[in-house]
Amino acid sequence: MVVAVVLYAARRGGIAERGVAAVIVAMVVIDPIMHWAVGRGQFGSINLGHFVLDLAAFAALYVIAMRPDRLWTLLAASAELVSIFGHIVRELDLPIGQNAYSALVTAPFYLLIVITGFGVWLNARPTKG
């Protein structure tokens, strides 16, 4: 699904769609490198590598969302923000289970992919007028 959305964005998307696709590719490429370099984090505490990766992705998505005239990019940045809040909630030692933390920090990535595909489709539609 990631490959399909990234290729769709590269072929049919504008600058915002390609930018978000680049963020997705960067996350997919950097994640295994991070795991190789620093090891797999445990869900007993926050995974610092994923937290930093999510912060960087959010920063890039925020910049993309603030520039063009596309509302869907705000949803993309918001999805990544949910992941960041998942890390923060875990670090604050609030009562959150292991499965809930895992879902909070991983599900937004998949939502980001769906939102990007939808955003490319919106941008690629022929306009009337």
mmCIF file of all heavy atoms in Angstrom, residues 75-116:
data_model
loop_
_atom_site.group_PDB
_atom_site.id
_atom_site.type_symbol
_atom_site.label_atom_id
_atom_site.label_comp_id
_atom_site.label_asym_id
_atom_site.label_seq_id
_atom_site.Cartn_x
_atom_site.Cartn_y
_atom_site.Cartn_z
ATOM 1 N N LEU A 75 -4.838 17.275 7.826
ATOM 2 C CA LEU A 75 -5.188 15.962 8.379
ATOM 3 C C LEU A 75 -3.952 15.068 8.471
ATOM 4 O O LEU A 75 -3.791 14.329 9.440
ATOM 5 C CB LEU A 75 -6.246 15.282 7.513
ATOM 6 C CG LEU A 75 -7.636 15.884 7.526
ATOM 7 C CD1 LEU A 75 -8.523 15.183 6.498
ATOM 8 C CD2 LEU A 75 -8.240 15.785 8.908
ATOM 9 N N ALA A 76 -3.094 15.140 7.476
ATOM 10 C CA ALA A 76 -1.868 14.335 7.484
ATOM 11 C C ALA A 76 -0.979 14.728 8.660
ATOM 12 O O ALA A 76 -0.487 13.863 9.394
ATOM 13 C CB ALA A 76 -1.119 14.513 6.163
ATOM 14 N N ALA A 77 -0.791 16.024 8.867
ATOM 15 C CA ALA A 77 0.016 16.481 9.997
ATOM 16 C C ALA A 77 -0.647 16.110 11.321
ATOM 17 O O ALA A 77 0.027 15.715 12.277
ATOM 18 C CB ALA A 77 0.239 17.989 9.911
ATOM 19 N N SER A 78 -1.960 16.196 11.374
ATOM 20 C CA SER A 78 -2.691 15.850 12.599
ATOM 21 C C SER A 78 -2.549 14.373 12.932
ATOM 22 O O SER A 78 -2.451 14.008 14.110
ATOM 23 C CB SER A 78 -4.168 16.201 12.456
ATOM 24 O OG SER A 78 -4.322 17.580 12.258
ATOM 25 N N ALA A 79 -2.540 13.526 11.929
ATOM 26 C CA ALA A 79 -2.363 12.090 12.174
ATOM 27 C C ALA A 79 -1.011 11.834 12.832
ATOM 28 O O ALA A 79 -0.905 11.053 13.782
ATOM 29 C CB ALA A 79 -2.477 11.312 10.867
ATOM 30 N N GLU A 80 0.004 12.508 12.350
ATOM 31 C CA GLU A 80 1.334 12.336 12.947
ATOM 32 C C GLU A 80 1.385 12.914 14.357
ATOM 33 O O GLU A 80 2.086 12.396 15.224
ATOM 34 C CB GLU A 80 2.389 12.982 12.046
ATOM 35 C CG GLU A 80 3.788 12.565 12.354
ATOM 36 C CD GLU A 80 4.002 11.061 12.289
ATOM 37 O OE1 GLU A 80 3.440 10.382 11.423
ATOM 38 O OE2 GLU A 80 4.765 10.566 13.135
ATOM 39 N N LEU A 81 0.630 13.958 14.602
ATOM 40 C CA LEU A 81 0.567 14.550 15.940
ATOM 41 C C LEU A 81 -0.033 13.571 16.949
ATOM 42 O O LEU A 81 0.388 13.531 18.110
ATOM 43 C CB LEU A 81 -0.234 15.851 15.900
ATOM 44 C CG LEU A 81 -0.198 16.744 17.127
ATOM 45 C CD1 LEU A 81 1.232 17.156 17.447
ATOM 46 C CD2 LEU A 81 -1.060 17.979 16.891
ATOM 47 N N VAL A 82 -0.987 12.761 16.520
ATOM 48 C CA VAL A 82 -1.564 11.737 17.401
ATOM 49 C C VAL A 82 -0.468 10.787 17.875
ATOM 50 O O VAL A 82 -0.416 10.414 19.053
ATOM 51 C CB VAL A 82 -2.694 10.967 16.679
ATOM 52 C CG1 VAL A 82 -3.116 9.741 17.470
ATOM 53 C CG2 VAL A 82 -3.882 11.881 16.434
ATOM 54 N N SER A 83 0.416 10.412 16.975
ATOM 55 C CA SER A 83 1.518 9.534 17.331
ATOM 56 C C SER A 83 2.431 10.186 18.376
ATOM 57 O O SER A 83 2.865 9.538 19.330
ATOM 58 C CB SER A 83 2.323 9.176 16.084
ATOM 59 O OG SER A 83 3.334 8.262 16.388
ATOM 60 N N ILE A 84 2.698 11.456 18.202
ATOM 61 C CA ILE A 84 3.542 12.176 19.162
ATOM 62 C C ILE A 84 2.883 12.207 20.534
ATOM 63 O O ILE A 84 3.535 11.974 21.559
ATOM 64 C CB ILE A 84 3.846 13.602 18.653
ATOM 65 C CG1 ILE A 84 4.761 13.522 17.441
ATOM 66 C CG2 ILE A 84 4.467 14.461 19.753
ATOM 67 C CD1 ILE A 84 4.923 14.817 16.704
ATOM 68 N N PHE A 85 1.582 12.466 20.566
ATOM 69 C CA PHE A 85 0.874 12.468 21.846
ATOM 70 C C PHE A 85 0.879 11.089 22.487
ATOM 71 O O PHE A 85 0.891 10.972 23.717
ATOM 72 C CB PHE A 85 -0.549 12.996 21.698
ATOM 73 C CG PHE A 85 -0.623 14.490 21.615
ATOM 74 C CD1 PHE A 85 -1.284 15.107 20.563
ATOM 75 C CD2 PHE A 85 -0.031 15.288 22.573
ATOM 76 C CE1 PHE A 85 -1.345 16.486 20.480
ATOM 77 C CE2 PHE A 85 -0.086 16.668 22.496
ATOM 78 C CZ PHE A 85 -0.741 17.270 21.450
ATOM 79 N N GLY A 86 0.875 10.035 21.682
ATOM 80 C CA GLY A 86 0.984 8.686 22.233
ATOM 81 C C GLY A 86 2.283 8.502 22.994
ATOM 82 O O GLY A 86 2.305 7.936 24.091
ATOM 83 N N HIS A 87 3.384 9.005 22.434
ATOM 84 C CA HIS A 87 4.672 8.940 23.127
ATOM 85 C C HIS A 87 4.644 9.762 24.412
ATOM 86 O O HIS A 87 5.157 9.331 25.449
ATOM 87 C CB HIS A 87 5.791 9.462 22.229
ATOM 88 C CG HIS A 87 6.079 8.611 21.035
ATOM 89 N ND1 HIS A 87 6.572 7.338 21.120
ATOM 90 C CD2 HIS A 87 5.937 8.865 19.711
ATOM 91 C CE1 HIS A 87 6.743 6.843 19.908
ATOM 92 N NE2 HIS A 87 6.370 7.759 19.032
ATOM 93 N N ILE A 88 4.074 10.950 24.334
ATOM 94 C CA ILE A 88 4.033 11.842 25.505
ATOM 95 C C ILE A 88 3.208 11.224 26.628
ATOM 96 O O ILE A 88 3.616 11.251 27.795
ATOM 97 C CB ILE A 88 3.498 13.230 25.099
ATOM 98 C CG1 ILE A 88 4.516 13.936 24.196
ATOM 99 C CG2 ILE A 88 3.191 14.076 26.335
ATOM 100 C CD1 ILE A 88 4.004 15.207 23.543
ATOM 101 N N VAL A 89 2.049 10.667 26.291
ATOM 102 C CA VAL A 89 1.198 10.042 27.307
ATOM 103 C C VAL A 89 1.952 8.908 27.993
ATOM 104 O O VAL A 89 1.908 8.756 29.214
ATOM 105 C CB VAL A 89 -0.122 9.533 26.674
ATOM 106 C CG1 VAL A 89 -0.848 8.572 27.585
ATOM 107 C CG2 VAL A 89 -1.021 10.708 26.326
ATOM 108 N N ARG A 90 2.677 8.116 27.208
ATOM 109 C CA ARG A 90 3.449 7.011 27.783
ATOM 110 C C ARG A 90 4.554 7.532 28.692
ATOM 111 O O ARG A 90 4.794 6.987 29.774
ATOM 112 C CB ARG A 90 4.025 6.170 26.653
ATOM 113 C CG ARG A 90 4.732 4.944 27.103
ATOM 114 C CD ARG A 90 3.759 4.000 27.784
ATOM 115 N NE ARG A 90 4.349 2.686 27.873
ATOM 116 C CZ ARG A 90 3.662 1.605 28.067
ATOM 117 N NH1 ARG A 90 2.355 1.658 28.198
ATOM 118 N NH2 ARG A 90 4.254 0.458 28.149
ATOM 119 N N GLU A 91 5.234 8.580 28.284
ATOM 120 C CA GLU A 91 6.338 9.127 29.082
ATOM 121 C C GLU A 91 5.842 9.765 30.374
ATOM 122 O O GLU A 91 6.531 9.741 31.389
ATOM 123 C CB GLU A 91 7.138 10.135 28.262
ATOM 124 C CG GLU A 91 8.365 10.670 28.957
ATOM 125 C CD GLU A 91 9.369 9.602 29.361
ATOM 126 O OE1 GLU A 91 9.435 8.523 28.756
ATOM 127 O OE2 GLU A 91 10.122 9.873 30.326
ATOM 128 N N LEU A 92 4.652 10.342 30.337
ATOM 129 C CA LEU A 92 4.088 10.956 31.552
ATOM 130 C C LEU A 92 3.606 9.909 32.549
ATOM 131 O O LEU A 92 3.133 10.253 33.621
ATOM 132 C CB LEU A 92 2.928 11.887 31.186
ATOM 133 C CG LEU A 92 3.309 13.152 30.429
ATOM 134 C CD1 LEU A 92 2.060 13.927 30.026
ATOM 135 C CD2 LEU A 92 4.243 14.024 31.258
ATOM 136 N N ASP A 93 3.742 8.660 32.173
ATOM 137 C CA ASP A 93 3.370 7.542 33.034
ATOM 138 C C ASP A 93 1.886 7.525 33.357
ATOM 139 O O ASP A 93 1.482 7.114 34.441
ATOM 140 C CB ASP A 93 4.201 7.564 34.325
ATOM 141 C CG ASP A 93 4.704 6.189 34.692
ATOM 142 O OD1 ASP A 93 4.537 5.268 33.869
ATOM 143 O OD2 ASP A 93 5.259 6.037 35.783
ATOM 144 N N LEU A 94 1.087 8.007 32.416
ATOM 145 C CA LEU A 94 -0.352 7.922 32.579
ATOM 146 C C LEU A 94 -0.776 6.478 32.331
ATOM 147 O O LEU A 94 -0.091 5.743 31.630
ATOM 148 C CB LEU A 94 -1.047 8.877 31.609
ATOM 149 C CG LEU A 94 -0.748 10.358 31.843
ATOM 150 C CD1 LEU A 94 -1.362 11.202 30.744
ATOM 151 C CD2 LEU A 94 -1.263 10.801 33.196
ATOM 152 N N PRO A 95 -1.883 6.067 32.917
ATOM 153 C CA PRO A 95 -2.276 4.660 32.769
ATOM 154 C C PRO A 95 -2.686 4.337 31.324
ATOM 155 O O PRO A 95 -3.802 4.610 30.902
ATOM 156 C CB PRO A 95 -3.457 4.509 33.728
ATOM 157 C CG PRO A 95 -3.987 5.889 33.918
ATOM 158 C CD PRO A 95 -2.822 6.816 33.746
ATOM 159 N N ILE A 96 -1.752 3.805 30.579
ATOM 160 C CA ILE A 96 -2.008 3.405 29.195
ATOM 161 C C ILE A 96 -1.372 2.037 29.003
ATOM 162 O O ILE A 96 -0.216 1.820 29.369
ATOM 163 C CB ILE A 96 -1.456 4.436 28.185
ATOM 164 C CG1 ILE A 96 -1.766 4.030 26.764
ATOM 165 C CG2 ILE A 96 0.001 4.685 28.379
ATOM 166 C CD1 ILE A 96 -1.430 5.076 25.728
ATOM 167 N N GLY A 97 -2.133 1.129 28.492
ATOM 168 C CA GLY A 97 -1.635 -0.229 28.292
ATOM 169 C C GLY A 97 -0.659 -0.327 27.147
ATOM 170 O O GLY A 97 -0.557 0.567 26.300
ATOM 171 N N GLN A 98 0.043 -1.435 27.116
ATOM 172 C CA GLN A 98 1.039 -1.680 26.074
ATOM 173 C C GLN A 98 0.396 -1.694 24.692
ATOM 174 O O GLN A 98 0.924 -1.110 23.751
ATOM 175 C CB GLN A 98 1.725 -3.006 26.363
ATOM 176 C CG GLN A 98 2.836 -3.345 25.425
ATOM 177 C CD GLN A 98 3.573 -4.598 25.873
ATOM 178 O OE1 GLN A 98 3.348 -5.114 26.959
ATOM 179 N NE2 GLN A 98 4.440 -5.085 25.035
ATOM 180 N N ASN A 99 -0.752 -2.337 24.576
ATOM 181 C CA ASN A 99 -1.423 -2.393 23.271
ATOM 182 C C ASN A 99 -1.945 -1.027 22.845
ATOM 183 O O ASN A 99 -1.901 -0.686 21.660
ATOM 184 C CB ASN A 99 -2.573 -3.405 23.306
ATOM 185 C CG ASN A 99 -2.076 -4.830 23.429
ATOM 186 O OD1 ASN A 99 -0.947 -5.125 23.044
ATOM 187 N ND2 ASN A 99 -2.896 -5.698 23.988
ATOM 188 N N ALA A 100 -2.430 -0.248 23.789
ATOM 189 C CA ALA A 100 -2.921 1.089 23.453
ATOM 190 C C ALA A 100 -1.773 1.978 22.979
ATOM 191 O O ALA A 100 -1.909 2.723 22.006
ATOM 192 C CB ALA A 100 -3.623 1.717 24.652
ATOM 193 N N TYR A 101 -0.632 1.902 23.657
ATOM 194 C CA TYR A 101 0.535 2.691 23.251
ATOM 195 C C TYR A 101 0.985 2.270 21.856
ATOM 196 O O TYR A 101 1.250 3.117 20.993
ATOM 197 C CB TYR A 101 1.678 2.521 24.254
ATOM 198 C CG TYR A 101 2.975 3.148 23.809
ATOM 199 C CD1 TYR A 101 3.092 4.528 23.647
ATOM 200 C CD2 TYR A 101 4.099 2.371 23.553
ATOM 201 C CE1 TYR A 101 4.276 5.107 23.235
ATOM 202 C CE2 TYR A 101 5.290 2.936 23.143
ATOM 203 C CZ TYR A 101 5.370 4.304 22.992
ATOM 204 O OH TYR A 101 6.553 4.877 22.583
ATOM 205 N N SER A 102 1.049 0.983 21.626
ATOM 206 C CA SER A 102 1.457 0.476 20.321
ATOM 207 C C SER A 102 0.521 0.986 19.220
ATOM 208 O O SER A 102 0.969 1.426 18.161
ATOM 209 C CB SER A 102 1.473 -1.051 20.338
ATOM 210 O OG SER A 102 1.840 -1.557 19.091
ATOM 211 N N ALA A 103 -0.775 0.947 19.493
ATOM 212 C CA ALA A 103 -1.753 1.428 18.504
ATOM 213 C C ALA A 103 -1.630 2.933 18.286
ATOM 214 O O ALA A 103 -1.710 3.413 17.155
ATOM 215 C CB ALA A 103 -3.165 1.073 18.950
ATOM 216 N N LEU A 104 -1.418 3.679 19.369
ATOM 217 C CA LEU A 104 -1.334 5.136 19.255
ATOM 218 C C LEU A 104 -0.124 5.601 18.456
ATOM 219 O O LEU A 104 -0.160 6.661 17.840
ATOM 220 C CB LEU A 104 -1.287 5.780 20.645
ATOM 221 C CG LEU A 104 -2.616 6.109 21.286
ATOM 222 C CD1 LEU A 104 -2.403 6.599 22.723
ATOM 223 C CD2 LEU A 104 -3.373 7.142 20.498
ATOM 224 N N VAL A 105 0.951 4.837 18.491
ATOM 225 C CA VAL A 105 2.155 5.292 17.794
ATOM 226 C C VAL A 105 2.334 4.658 16.418
ATOM 227 O O VAL A 105 3.168 5.126 15.641
ATOM 228 C CB VAL A 105 3.434 5.100 18.653
ATOM 229 C CG1 VAL A 105 3.341 5.906 19.932
ATOM 230 C CG2 VAL A 105 3.711 3.642 18.944
ATOM 231 N N THR A 106 1.567 3.608 16.110
ATOM 232 C CA THR A 106 1.714 2.987 14.788
ATOM 233 C C THR A 106 0.529 3.244 13.860
ATOM 234 O O THR A 106 0.730 3.423 12.661
ATOM 235 C CB THR A 106 1.938 1.468 14.896
ATOM 236 O OG1 THR A 106 0.858 0.898 15.623
ATOM 237 C CG2 THR A 106 3.247 1.145 15.583
ATOM 238 N N ALA A 107 -0.673 3.253 14.388
ATOM 239 C CA ALA A 107 -1.866 3.434 13.538
ATOM 240 C C ALA A 107 -1.854 4.757 12.766
ATOM 241 O O ALA A 107 -2.277 4.775 11.604
ATOM 242 C CB ALA A 107 -3.132 3.306 14.384
ATOM 243 N N PRO A 108 -1.377 5.861 13.344
ATOM 244 C CA PRO A 108 -1.377 7.109 12.574
ATOM 245 C C PRO A 108 -0.558 7.042 11.280
ATOM 246 O O PRO A 108 -0.874 7.719 10.308
ATOM 247 C CB PRO A 108 -0.787 8.132 13.543
ATOM 248 C CG PRO A 108 -1.168 7.613 14.887
ATOM 249 C CD PRO A 108 -1.037 6.119 14.752
ATOM 250 N N PHE A 109 0.478 6.208 11.242
ATOM 251 C CA PHE A 109 1.259 6.067 10.010
ATOM 252 C C PHE A 109 0.384 5.504 8.897
ATOM 253 O O PHE A 109 0.424 5.976 7.755
ATOM 254 C CB PHE A 109 2.483 5.183 10.240
ATOM 255 C CG PHE A 109 3.266 4.933 8.982
ATOM 256 C CD1 PHE A 109 4.070 5.925 8.444
ATOM 257 C CD2 PHE A 109 3.188 3.717 8.327
ATOM 258 C CE1 PHE A 109 4.784 5.713 7.268
ATOM 259 C CE2 PHE A 109 3.892 3.493 7.153
ATOM 260 C CZ PHE A 109 4.698 4.490 6.633
ATOM 261 N N TYR A 110 -0.404 4.488 9.222
ATOM 262 C CA TYR A 110 -1.284 3.895 8.221
ATOM 263 C C TYR A 110 -2.390 4.862 7.820
ATOM 264 O O TYR A 110 -2.785 4.922 6.661
ATOM 265 C CB TYR A 110 -1.844 2.570 8.725
ATOM 266 C CG TYR A 110 -0.735 1.563 8.950
ATOM 267 C CD1 TYR A 110 -0.281 1.272 10.228
ATOM 268 C CD2 TYR A 110 -0.102 0.961 7.866
ATOM 269 C CE1 TYR A 110 0.761 0.381 10.422
ATOM 270 C CE2 TYR A 110 0.942 0.071 8.052
ATOM 271 C CZ TYR A 110 1.369 -0.212 9.335
ATOM 272 O OH TYR A 110 2.405 -1.087 9.523
ATOM 273 N N LEU A 111 -2.863 5.632 8.774
ATOM 274 C CA LEU A 111 -3.835 6.675 8.465
ATOM 275 C C LEU A 111 -3.216 7.717 7.543
ATOM 276 O O LEU A 111 -3.865 8.199 6.609
ATOM 277 C CB LEU A 111 -4.346 7.318 9.756
ATOM 278 C CG LEU A 111 -5.414 8.393 9.618
ATOM 279 C CD1 LEU A 111 -6.646 7.842 8.920
ATOM 280 C CD2 LEU A 111 -5.771 8.953 10.986
ATOM 281 N N LEU A 112 -1.958 8.055 7.768
ATOM 282 C CA LEU A 112 -1.235 8.999 6.920
ATOM 283 C C LEU A 112 -1.191 8.504 5.468
ATOM 284 O O LEU A 112 -1.370 9.284 4.534
ATOM 285 C CB LEU A 112 0.182 9.212 7.456
ATOM 286 C CG LEU A 112 1.127 10.080 6.641
ATOM 287 C CD1 LEU A 112 0.605 11.508 6.533
ATOM 288 C CD2 LEU A 112 2.514 10.064 7.267
ATOM 289 N N ILE A 113 -0.982 7.225 5.286
ATOM 290 C CA ILE A 113 -0.944 6.659 3.938
ATOM 291 C C ILE A 113 -2.309 6.805 3.260
ATOM 292 O O ILE A 113 -2.401 7.220 2.101
ATOM 293 C CB ILE A 113 -0.505 5.183 3.988
ATOM 294 C CG1 ILE A 113 0.930 5.097 4.496
ATOM 295 C CG2 ILE A 113 -0.621 4.530 2.619
ATOM 296 C CD1 ILE A 113 1.350 3.705 4.898
ATOM 297 N N VAL A 114 -3.374 6.478 3.980
ATOM 298 C CA VAL A 114 -4.729 6.588 3.429
ATOM 299 C C VAL A 114 -5.055 8.045 3.109
ATOM 300 O O VAL A 114 -5.582 8.353 2.034
ATOM 301 C CB VAL A 114 -5.763 5.986 4.405
ATOM 302 C CG1 VAL A 114 -7.178 6.278 3.952
ATOM 303 C CG2 VAL A 114 -5.546 4.481 4.542
ATOM 304 N N ILE A 115 -4.738 8.944 4.016
ATOM 305 C CA ILE A 115 -5.001 10.373 3.805
ATOM 306 C C ILE A 115 -4.233 10.877 2.578
ATOM 307 O O ILE A 115 -4.763 11.645 1.774
ATOM 308 C CB ILE A 115 -4.635 11.193 5.061
ATOM 309 C CG1 ILE A 115 -5.603 10.888 6.206
ATOM 310 C CG2 ILE A 115 -4.618 12.684 4.759
ATOM 311 C CD1 ILE A 115 -5.158 11.447 7.550
ATOM 312 N N THR A 116 -2.996 10.432 2.421
ATOM 313 C CA THR A 116 -2.190 10.860 1.270
ATOM 314 C C THR A 116 -2.797 10.368 -0.033
ATOM 315 O O THR A 116 -2.891 11.130 -1.009
ATOM 316 C CB THR A 116 -0.742 10.370 1.414
ATOM 317 O OG1 THR A 116 -0.217 10.850 2.656
ATOM 318 C CG2 THR A 116 0.122 10.862 0.270
#
